[in-house]
């Protein structure tokens, strides 16, 4: 196996970590507004959805740091609620039921979260596939 192909899983982990960090950075003002009570997030039971999404992105970032082969389950535990909340929020928004917090330009944030969840899954799949083929 070439040196380049051995480094690709590492690059994928860096991409996942970068995407998760960027998402958390963009989500922080929403979490802060929820915490201060100035702009509430939709709730998942008693928990604001933006908290769940923040923990999900943090879990994906930690999984990328530690290594997906060791804690791939942590990536999935973080990714699944982010994806499902973004998908349901986007569906409700498109159906005419405003649900998601808005960006300063007025775009529902769940649109971006759905795109990010889809985007982050690609390098995760690639890394998992590469590392499992190296272990075989």
């Amino acid at each position: 196996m070439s040196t380049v192909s051995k480094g690709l899983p590492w690059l994928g982990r860096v991409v996942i970590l970068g995407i998760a960090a960027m998402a958390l950075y963009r989500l922080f003002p929403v979490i802060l507004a929820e915490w201060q009570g100035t702009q509430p997030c939709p709730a998942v039971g008693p928990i604001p959805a933006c908290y769940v999404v923040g923990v999900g992105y943090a879990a994906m970032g930690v999984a990328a740091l530690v290594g997906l082969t060791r804690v791939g389950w942590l990536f999935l535990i973080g990714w699944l609620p982010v994806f499902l909340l973004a998908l349901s929020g986007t569906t409700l928004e498109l159906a005419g039921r405003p649900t998601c917090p808005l960006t300063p330009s007025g775009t529902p944030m769940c649109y971006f979260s759905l795109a990010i969840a889809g985007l982050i899954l690609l390098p995760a799949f690639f890394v998992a596939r590469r590392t499992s083929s190296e272990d075989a």
Side-chain angles (χ1 to χ4, degrees), residues 38-136:
T38 58
Q39 183 180 10
C41 294
V44 178
I47 303 169
C50 52
Y51 294 175
V52 174
V53 171
V55 169
Y57 281 123
M60 288 184 257
V62 168
L65 273 175
V66 173
L68 296 179
T69 54
R70 287 188 222 142
V71 290
W73 54 270
L74 181 61
F75 178 86
L76 263 160
I77 287 173
W79 181 82
L80 196 58
V82 169
F83 175 74
L84 292 176
L85 285 170
L87 182 64
S88 62
T90 298
T91 302
L92 287 169
E93 289 283 341
L94 293 175
R97 292 191 51 206
T99 305
C100 304
L102 302 176
T103 64
S105 64
T107 306
M109 291 185 81
C110 52
Y111 294 175
F112 295 110
S113 196
L114 184 60
I116 291 168
L119 183 65
I120 207 169
L121 191 59
L122 293 172
F125 176 76
F126 179 74
V127 168
R129 192 156 180 224
R130 277 287 192 187
T131 52
S132 68
S133 68
E134 288 173 4
D135 292 340

